[in-house]
Structure formats: structure tokens, C-alpha cells
């Protein structure tokens, strides 16, 4: 078997993207070699000693052609064992009967040969892998050029209108007071979060690296939901200030808060039935919009109850520098109590069969010692109150039971994150100079980033979106503050960017999110050709759907239609 053509998996057409083929070979007739695999995705960062066990994959038989297909998104460790009747799973700590162990650098569409001879292993490349990001760079490069071209055409049209169209202003128009200018950066951040959430929910064009981390850690997709819900917090004091200015009674404001919260929860509950059906015994209770509704209710209600209609202006220069914090001092005290309650439950609640303070994914992790402990206290509370049939079900590399990433306990830390957004909104309302706003936003961003990184890298509280851990709140809030600062400088201060194509969709963010959830399988928003085993096709399909929702947002803006609760 000297040529590639004799192998089972030797042609690129037999592989999908993010896959490599390993041809297995041994000339030792007396060997009982077995191939075991372990994905790096099944090992928590900084907790390698607590990784999953190796999984038995295939026996390597002398003079018999065989192969195995391996995922290339994450690195995979190979272990060859010499055993007559091996177990399905072997602990990574158990090195008995190991012939060899290696972690090769594999690429998509690559074909490799793994040879086992004389109790040693060798892997060589038979077919060179391809670069996985070619389609992404090309398609997004073209997209950016198109957007720049459209922006240039719009600028030329505006210049043409100024020169050729005479504007006649009557006396009444000249006497009008200039209206208060809307901060466009807020809509830009909301729109970017919404559109990119849609892109990630549609599969990120086949690029899983742009999606979500399996458990601990942070990938680009993990930044979007927290940024979306954080910007909701920014808008709370701005909207409430307008209501107070109109002399709206507090009980009417309270009624509006309750109404919006209930509507968001019910819409989210309805969206959960789009793909699974309205079976009451198994309907998922919590979700994205449900978390929006609950956290909005808590934060807005606390702010309403503890706010003062006419805050006192301090004369002290030192106190003026922290006036935003002083205005929210009572709310901060309540929020710190909420965070303390979350930490106490997470690290002190005794979960049957699980170590106290467990933050792992359960299942096969840590050699399956805590198989039914997925999510620790957070998962236990959801299973006890909501029951497993009403939780989010998805297959994971850990093979653990159902766990809801938008469950009950994580709502507490999400509430804190929405409040941090509210504080950013208070900064915008308290300080009118753009420098004072940006300096405070970036200062808080640096502060939160330091706390989050310390908690994560010391392994006290790892960054984890599924748990919505405290370190995750700090790190993603830091990103949101920095992103808002950048958009504010570019869109509202320097005015070198008008926020497109994100700003207009941001004015109808809720409608776009709900619409894409309802139409997730409907043409023309989605389509398929064959088995869609091409990144170029998947990217085009994802961008097509994203483009349609963007066009809908622009049409609605043109008609002055804005859907809010």
C-alpha cells in the first residue's frame, strides 16, 4: 500500500470543511493497537488535569486499510494503546499500556498517515491541508468594498443635492428651536449587536470559531448577547428621564415597566415553540428575551424606586468627579447585595453528589466523576424548579445532561450587567462634555477588565457565558464600554462615520431579532444548495439573510416605523 489511491479516505471531496482524514497503518501482526482521541474542546483552560477521558475510536489492524475523520477546529490528542479488551474511555492520567501519544497540527481537507511500528508512532502528510479563512477574508473584503462604495455614492448624492436643490426656509422654520440631538452611538452599538447575533445564530457562515465557547473561555459570539442586554441598561435612565420631564406619575412609569417586561417574556416564550412546537410538557421556559424581560424589570424598578426627581448639584470639585456614582449609590448597594446572593448560592449551596462550588460542565469532564453536576448550583436550581423537560437540550462534547444557559441563577449576574449599562447611561446624562463621558467610560472599562481577568486567570471564577459568571460580566461589560466609546467618538464627536450599516437596524433591534427567530427556516431569508458542504455557500447564505433584515430595517426607517414595547 504505497500510494494514496489505496487508502479509504484520500480525496478532498470525501471530507467536509474543518475535517481531516487520518489513515491508520501498522505492520506489527502481534499488536493489539487501539486509537483513542481527546479533543482540546473537552479540556477546560487552566484545568488540564480535569479534562475528559480519551475515547476509544478504532482498532489499528495489521495490513488492513482503515481511517478516521478528525475535527480540525480544535486540536486533537492521539493516544495509541496496546490492549486486548480496552475500555471505551481511558483517563488522561492513566498512562499504562500506552504505545505513544501525540498532538499533531492538522488542517482542513488534509490527509495524513499514522504509522505504528516497533512501539513508536509517526504521522506524515499525504495531502496538504487548505487555509480555512480564505473564503472569510475574500467575502468580507468584497462586502467592505461594497459598503464603502455605497457610502461614497451617498456622499456624492448629498453634494449634488446641496448644489442643485435650493432649500427655502420660511420664517416659522427659522424660529424653531433645535431639537435635542439623539446619541447615534447607542443605536449603532445596538444594531451591531443585533445583526451580529443574527449572523452567529445562523451558524457564523460555517466558522465555529466565531461562535460560542464550549464552556469556559470567550469567543467573538460570546460578546454579542451581553452587549445587546447591556445597551438596554444604558437606555433605561434616558427613557425614564424623558418620562419624568413629561411629569408622568410614578405609578404610570411602573405600569410601563411591568407591561414591557411581561411582553418580552411572553414573546420569548412564544419563540421557544417555533422549532419544538407548543407542547406544554416540554416547552422551554427561559430564553434570551425572557432574560431581557426579567432583568429589565428588576433594574428599572430599583432605579425608579430609589431615584430622586431633582438630584442635588454638588459644589465640591472632587465630588463632581464622582457625581455619577453618588447619584446611583443606593442602587449600587442593592446591586452588590444581588451579586453577594449570587456568589453565596454558587459557592455555598450543597448540590447532592457534587462538590460545593462546582463550576464545571459535568458529563465526561474530570473523568466523569461528576456526570450529573452540569452547571453546579445553577444547573441544580433549574432542574429542581423548572424540571429537566423544560430546559434547553443540546448535544455537547461532554455528553452531559440538559442545561439552560439562560436559567434562573444567571439572571442575578445579568441583572448586575444591565445595571452597569444603566450607570453608563447616567454618565452620559450627568456629563455633557464628550471628553468627560469617554474618560469615565474607558476608566470603568479598564477597571472591569482588570477584575474580570484576575478572577479568570486565577481560576477563582472563570469567564463562562453559560453560567453568566461574574468574571464574564466584568469582561464583556469592559468590551461594551470600549465599543460604545469608539462608536461615540467616530459617530457623534468626530463624525467620520454615520454608524451604517448598524445604526438604522439598531432602531428596530427587537423586531429584527424576533423576525429572524420566526423565519429561521423560511425562504427568502434562508436557502440551501445540496448539502451546503462549502464555507463559501454558508457565508453567502448567512450574509444574504443578514442583508435582507438590514434592508427591512432601512425601509421601516424610511417610513418612520419603529416597533418598541
Amino acid at each position: 500500500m504505497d500510494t494514496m489511491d489505496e487508502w479509504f479516505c484520500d480525496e478532498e471531496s470525501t471530507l467536509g470543511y474543518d475535517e481531516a482524514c487520518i489513515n491508520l497503518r501498522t505492520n506489527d501482526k502481534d499488536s493489539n493497537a487501539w486509537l483513542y482521541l481527546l479533543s482540546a474542546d473537552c479540556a477546560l483552560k487552566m484545568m488540564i488535569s480535569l479534562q475528559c477521558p480519551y475515547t476509544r475510536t478504532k482498532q489499528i489492524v495489521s495490513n488492513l486499510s482503515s481511517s478516521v475523520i478528525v475535527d480540525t477546529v480544535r486540536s486533537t490528542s492521539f493516544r495509541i494503546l496496546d490492549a486486548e479488551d480496552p475500555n471505551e474511555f481511558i483517563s488522561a492520567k492513566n498512562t499504562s499500556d500506552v504505545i505513544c501519544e501525540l498532538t499533531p497540527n492538522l488542517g482542513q481537507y488534509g490527509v495524513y498517515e499514522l504509522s505504528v511500528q516497533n512501539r513508536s508512532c509517526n504521522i506524515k502528510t499525504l495531502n496538504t491541508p487548505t487555509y480555512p479563512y480564505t473564503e472569510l477574508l475574500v467575502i468580507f473584503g468584497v462586502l467592505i468594498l461594497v459598503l464603502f462604495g455605497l457610502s461614497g455614492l451617498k456622499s456624492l448624492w448629498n453634494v449634488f443635492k446641496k448644489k442643485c436643490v435650493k432649500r427655502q426656509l420660511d420664517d416659522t422654520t427659522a424660529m424653531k428651536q433645535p431639537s435635542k440631538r439623539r446619541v447615534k452611538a447607542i443605536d449603532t452599538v445596538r444594531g451591531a449587536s443585533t445583526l451580529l447575533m443574527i449572523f452567529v445564530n445562523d451558524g457564523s457562515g460555517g466558522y465555529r470559531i466565531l461562535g460560542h465557547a464550549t464552556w469556559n473561555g470567550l469567543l467573538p459570539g460570546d460578546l454579542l448577547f451581553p452587549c445587546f442586554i447591556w445597551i438596554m441598561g444604558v437606555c433605561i435612565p434616558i427613557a425614564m428621564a424623558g418620562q419624568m420631564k413629561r411629569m408622568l406619575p410614578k405609578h404610570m412609569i411602573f405600569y410601563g415597566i411591568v407591561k414591557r417586561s411581561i411582553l418580552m417574556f411572553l414573546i420569548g416564550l412564544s419563540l421557544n415553540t417555533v422549532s419544538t412546537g407548543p407542547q406544554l410538557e416540554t416547552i422551554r421556559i427561559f430564553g434570551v428575551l425572557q432574560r431581557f424581560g426579567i432583568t429589565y424589570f428588576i433594574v428599572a424598578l430599583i432605579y425608579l424606586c430609589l431615584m430622586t426627581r431633582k438630584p442635588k448639584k454638588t459644589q465640591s470639585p472632587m465630588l463632581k468627579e464622582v457625581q455619577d456614582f453618588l447619584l446611583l449609590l443606593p442602587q449600587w448597594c442593592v446591586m452588590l447585595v444581588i451579586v453577594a446572593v449570587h456568589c453565596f448560592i454558587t459557592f455555598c449551596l450543597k448540590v447532592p453528589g457534587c462538590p460545593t462550588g462546582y463550576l464545571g460542565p459535568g458529563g465526561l469532564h474530570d473523568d466523569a466523576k461528576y456526570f450529573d453536576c452540569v452547571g453546579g448550583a445553577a444547573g441544580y436550581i433549574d432542574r429542581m424548579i423548572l424540571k429537566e423537560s423544560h430546559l434547553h437540550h443540546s448535544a455537547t462534547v461532554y455528553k452531559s445532561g440538559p442545561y439552560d444557559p439562560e436559567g434562573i441563577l444567571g439572571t442575578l449576574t445579568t441583572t448586575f450587567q444591565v445595571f452597569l449599562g444603566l450607570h453608563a447611561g447616567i454618565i452620559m446624562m450627568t456629563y455633557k462634555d464628550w471628553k468627560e463621558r469617554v474618560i469615565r467610560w474607558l476608566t470603568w472599562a479598564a477597571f472591569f477588565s482588570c477584575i474580570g481577568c484576575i478572577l479568570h486567570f486565577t481560576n477563582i471564577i472563570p469567564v463562562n457565558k453559560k453560567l453568566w459568571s461574574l468574571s464574564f460580566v466584568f469582561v464583556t461589560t469592559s468590551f461594551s464600554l470600549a465599543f460604545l466609546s469608539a462608536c461615540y467618538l467616530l459617530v457623534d464627536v468626530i463624525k467620520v462615520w454615520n454608524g451604517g450599516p448598524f445604526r438604522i437596524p439598531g432602531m428596530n433591534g427587537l423586531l429584527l431579532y424576533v423576525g429572524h427567530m420566526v423565519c429561521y427556516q423560511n425562504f427568502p431569508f434562508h436557502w440551501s444548495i445540496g448539502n451546503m458542504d462549502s464555507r463559501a455557500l454558508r457565508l453567502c447564505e448567512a450574509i444574504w439573510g443578514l442583508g435582507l433584515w438590514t434592508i427591512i430595517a432601512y425601509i421601516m426607517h424610511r417610513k418612520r416605523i419603529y416597533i418598541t414595547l
Side-chain angles (χ1 to χ4, degrees):
M1 300 183 183
D2 298 323
T3 64
M4 283 175 49
D5 291 335
E6 296 179 68
W7 294 108
F8 170 72
C9 184
D10 62 342
E11 296 292 337
E12 188 174 314
S13 59
T14 63
L15 295 172
Y17 59 84
D18 291 334
E19 289 182 344
C21 181
I22 313 295
N23 294 317
L24 307 175
R25 180 176 184 176
T26 181
N27 292 328
D28 191 349
K29 295 181 180 181
D30 299 325
S31 173
N32 292 308
W34 287 85
L35 172 66
Y36 281 73
L37 299 179
L38 173 61
S39 171
D41 211 19
C42 203
L44 301 189
K45 294 180 179 179
M46 303 175 296
M47 299 177 68
I48 302 302
S49 60
L50 302 180
Q51 62 190 8
C52 297
Y54 280 83
T55 302
R56 186 183 65 205
T57 305
K58 184 164 286 190
Q59 186 176 14
I60 305 176
V61 182
S62 174
N63 297 322
L64 180 65
S65 301
S66 62
S67 63
V68 61
I69 294 177
V70 180
D71 183 84
T72 60
V73 175
R74 307 285 194 278
S75 62
T76 301
S77 296
F78 291 53
R79 181 177 280 188
I80 310 299
L81 260 67
D82 188 2
E84 292 185 2
D85 187 21
N87 296 325
E88 183 180 359
F89 301 106
I90 297 293
S91 172
K93 304 169 189 175
N94 183 4
T95 57
S96 60
D97 300 323
V98 174
I99 297 175
C100 63
E101 186 174 328
L102 65 161
T103 306
N105 183 21
L106 307 177
Q108 69 170 6
Y109 298 123
V111 179
Y112 305 86
E113 179 184 274
L114 175 61
S115 300
V116 181
Q117 294 179 344
N118 302 322
R119 299 193 67 81
S120 64
C121 301
N122 179 53
I123 190 165
K124 66 179 181 179
T125 303
L126 300 180
N127 187 39
T128 305
T130 63
Y131 183 65
Y133 301 107
T134 303
E135 297 93 337
L136 182 69
L137 295 175
V138 171
I139 292 176
F140 272 92
V142 171
L143 185 63
I144 290 171
L145 289 176
V146 170
L147 291 176
F148 271 109
L150 292 174
S151 178
L153 290 174
K154 183 179 177 181
S155 299
L156 290 174
W157 173 248
N158 289 335
V159 171
F160 173 77
K161 282 201 303 183
K162 284 181 181 180
K163 289 185 176 180
C164 301
V165 180
K166 295 182 180 180
R167 298 181 178 179
Q168 297 180 350
L169 298 176
D170 55 26
D171 294 338
T172 57
T173 306
M175 292 295 292
K176 280 185 180 179
Q177 294 290 334
S179 60
K180 192 173 181 180
R181 192 167 61 90
R182 185 185 181 102
V183 179
K184 297 178 180 179
I186 294 177
D187 293 323
T188 303
V189 172
R190 188 192 297 112
S193 302
T194 305
L195 292 180
L196 293 176
M197 275 182 72
I198 293 173
F199 178 75
V200 171
N201 288 348
D202 289 344
S204 309
Y207 284 92
R208 281 180 285 163
I209 200 67
L210 299 178
H212 302 291
T214 305
W215 194 252
N216 288 349
L218 201 67
L219 288 178
D222 297 319
L223 298 168
L224 305 176
F225 182 15
C227 187
F228 195 9
I229 205 166
W230 176 86
I231 203 68
M232 177 185 71
V234 174
C235 298
I236 290 175
I238 299 172
M240 210 168 288
Q243 293 172 326
M244 288 292 187
K245 192 174 181 180
R246 297 195 304 270
M247 302 301 293
L248 199 66
K250 273 195 173 183
H251 72 273
M252 292 301 297
I253 300 176
F254 173 74
Y255 170 75
I257 292 171
V258 173
K259 186 186 76 170
R260 290 185 196 95
S261 303
I262 292 175
L263 285 175
M264 279 193 279
F265 193 96
L266 291 178
I267 292 171
L269 192 62
S270 178
L271 290 178
N272 286 348
T273 66
V274 171
S275 59
T276 60
Q279 194 69 30
L280 294 182
E281 295 89 344
T282 57
I283 188 173
R284 183 190 176 198
I285 297 174
F286 279 76
V288 172
L289 287 185
Q290 292 92 315
R291 182 161 286 192
F292 267 86
I294 296 171
T295 55
Y296 171 77
F297 175 77
I298 297 173
V299 174
L301 186 61
I302 291 173
Y303 179 66
L304 175 67
C305 293
L306 299 179
M307 72 181 295
T308 55
R309 278 187 177 269
K310 292 183 179 180
K312 295 180 181 179
K313 292 185 179 180
T314 178
Q315 300 299 323
S316 170
M318 185 175 295
L319 293 179
K320 281 184 178 180
E321 295 299 319
V322 292
Q323 189 176 356
D324 57 299
F325 182 78
L326 295 176
L327 288 172
L328 292 175
L329 190 57
Q331 290 90 337
W332 264 104
C333 293
V334 176
M335 285 299 151
L336 291 178
V337 170
I338 290 176
V339 171
V341 169
H342 175 272
C343 292
F344 178 80
I345 295 174
T346 300
F347 295 104
C348 299
L349 180 67
K350 294 187 181 299
V351 180
C354 307
T356 303
Y358 180 74
L359 299 175
L364 295 177
H365 186 256
D366 197 8
D367 293 332
K369 288 181 182 177
Y370 314 112
F371 193 89
D372 296 321
C373 297
V374 53
Y380 176 70
I381 291 172
D382 289 341
R383 290 191 296 273
M384 290 299 102
I385 298 176
L386 304 176
K387 306 305 180 183
E388 286 194 4
S389 59
H390 296 289
L391 301 181
H392 179 64
H393 291 70
S394 63
T396 67
V397 69
Y398 303 107
K399 304 184 186 302
S400 51
Y403 174 78
D404 204 318
E406 282 83 44
I408 296 172
L409 191 59
T411 303
L412 298 179
T413 42
T414 312
T415 298
F416 179 54
Q417 182 153 31
V418 174
F419 172 73
L420 295 179
L422 183 146
H423 191 163
I426 289 292
I427 291 174
M428 183 181 295
M429 294 170 59
T430 306
Y431 305 98
K432 302 306 178 184
D433 183 65
W434 69 267
K435 293 179 182 177
E436 292 180 321
R437 292 174 173 178
V438 172
I439 288 173
R440 281 166 177 80
W441 285 339
L442 294 180
T443 301
W444 280 108
F447 177 65
F448 292 146
S449 177
C450 290
I451 296 177
C453 289
I454 290 171
L455 291 174
H456 178 73
F457 289 108
T458 56
N459 206 36
I460 298 173
I461 304 177
V463 170
N464 189 302
K465 178 185 179 293
K466 288 183 169 59
L467 295 173
W468 213 277
S469 63
L470 196 56
S471 57
F472 177 78
V473 169
F474 285 130
V475 171
T476 53
T477 298
S478 173
F479 166 80
S480 301
L481 282 164
F483 186 37
L484 177 62
S485 301
C487 291
Y488 180 64
L489 286 172
L490 294 173
V491 177
D492 293 287
V493 179
I494 309 175
K495 298 181 181 179
V496 295
W497 179 36
N498 68 353
F502 304 121
R503 183 174 61 85
I504 302 303
M507 294 179 173
N508 265 310
L510 179 63
L511 173 74
L512 297 192
Y513 179 79
V514 173
H516 108 276
M517 291 293 291
V518 172
C519 302
Y520 81 107
Q521 280 186 330
N522 296 350
F523 183 85
F525 300 98
H526 296 282
W527 45 263
S528 60
I529 298 175
N531 58 6
M532 295 292 284
D533 195 16
S534 163
R535 273 220 181 89
L537 273 177
R538 289 193 177 272
L539 266 175
C540 289
E541 191 267 347
I543 294 172
W544 168 269
L546 202 63
L548 287 182
W549 287 115
T550 304
I551 292 170
I552 289 172
Y554 271 86
I555 292 173
M556 294 184 69
H557 173 67
R558 184 80 174 178
K559 295 179 178 293
R560 297 293 186 264
I561 301 173
Y562 306 103
I563 307 297
T564 58
L565 296 179

